[in-house]
């Protein structure tokens, strides 16, 4: 709790729950059962084609492996700051927009490209789309002017870099899309307060 009486509870509960779930499934389930669970929770193109829209939620609650400690701490810091500055509902909403929005954009791209079966049925779970969206949205909290513009440009360049390489994946496109969606939120959110 801070001096204003605000409690940051959602972010640590979410990050801790995802991490605990990853450890539990890794230790309690045999590899085939764990793989089936990850596949069942995945927002792959085959699931979305068959109307498995529930995977837009379940995929955000799972990671393939426990998150590395530095990444988990960074995720907690970004989500925690967003929750502190904007509230739990705003943070959850931006996270959900980034996760679902980027997933659906990638899904549309895979359908349009007539992706191969292996790509269409790939395991696609994790927190990274939502994380990128919240990070992008938080750029609006930076001081207006060159600092904010430079930060947005740098983040977009970092997000676009994997798309330019030979080993790019649909996940790379999703990360970039989520980051852009989050920055779009910051433009709308901060424009309404006069702080573009």
């Amino acid at each position: 709790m801070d001096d204003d009486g605000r409690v940051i509870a959602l972010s640590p509960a979410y990050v801790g729950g995802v991490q605990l779930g990853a450890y539990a499934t890794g230790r309690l389930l045999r590899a085939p059962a764990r793989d089936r669970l990850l596949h069942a929770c995945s927002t792959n193109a085959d699931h979305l084609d068959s109307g498995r829209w529930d995977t837009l939620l379940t995929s955000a609650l799972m990671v393939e492996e426990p998150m590395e400690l530095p990444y988990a701490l960074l995720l907690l810091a970004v989500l925690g700051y967003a929750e502190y500055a904007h509230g739990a509902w705003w943070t959850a909403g931006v996270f959900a927009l980034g996760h679902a929005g980027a997933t659906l954009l990638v899904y549309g791209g895979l359908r349009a490209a007539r992706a191969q079966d292996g790509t269409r049925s790939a395991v696609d779970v994790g927190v990274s789309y939502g994380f990128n969206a919240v990070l992008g949205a938080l750029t609006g909290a930076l001081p207006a002017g060159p600092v904010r513009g430079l930060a947005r440009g740098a983040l977009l360049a970092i997000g676009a870099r994997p798309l330019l390489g030979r080993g790019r994946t649909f996940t790379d496109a999703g990360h970039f899309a989520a980051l852009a969606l989050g920055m779009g939120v910051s433009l709308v959110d901060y424009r309404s307060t006069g702080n573009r």
Side-chain angles (χ1 to χ4, degrees):
M1 184 181 299
D2 71 355
D3 294 337
D4 297 330
R6 287 182 275 191
V7 176
I8 300 170
L10 181 64
S11 300
Y14 174 71
V15 174
V18 169
Q19 192 75 323
L20 183 61
Y23 280 115
T25 58
R27 294 201 182 263
L28 300 176
L29 298 178
R30 291 197 171 118
R34 186 178 159 280
D35 292 344
R36 282 193 304 275
L37 175 63
L38 287 170
H39 186 268
C41 293
S42 177
T43 52
N44 62 43
D46 285 345
H47 283 162
L48 295 176
D49 275 347
S50 66
R52 293 274 324 275
W53 300 104
D54 60 302
T55 60
L56 288 171
L57 173 63
T58 59
S59 61
L61 302 174
M62 303 286 294
V63 289
E64 291 185 60
E65 300 288 334
M67 294 176 278
E68 298 282 335
L69 184 60
Y71 182 80
L73 291 174
L74 180 61
L75 175 66
L76 180 59
V78 168
L79 297 182
Y81 176 75
E83 185 177 349
Y84 172 79
H86 298 284
W89 284 109
W90 184 93
T91 304
V94 172
F95 188 97
L97 171 71
H99 180 75
T103 297
L104 293 173
L105 288 168
V106 167
Y107 168 61
L110 291 174
R111 284 188 60 140
R114 299 179 189 259
Q116 297 175 351
D117 288 343
T119 301
R120 292 183 51 77
S121 63
V123 171
D124 187 15
V125 296
V127 300
S128 58
Y129 291 177
F131 167 70
N132 276 282
V134 173
L135 184 62
L138 286 176
T139 61
L142 296 170
V147 170
R148 188 182 302 168
L150 183 63
R152 285 179 175 155
L155 283 174
L156 287 171
I158 291 168
R161 188 167 188 267
L163 296 173
L164 304 175
R166 288 187 179 266
R168 64 185 172 267
T169 66
F170 67 85
T171 303
D172 297 327
H175 291 151
F176 185 78
L179 188 61
L181 286 168
M183 287 184 189
V185 167
S186 78
L187 292 172
V188 171
D189 191 36
Y190 288 91
R191 182 172 291 157
S192 67
T193 62
N195 293 326
R196 282 190 293 146

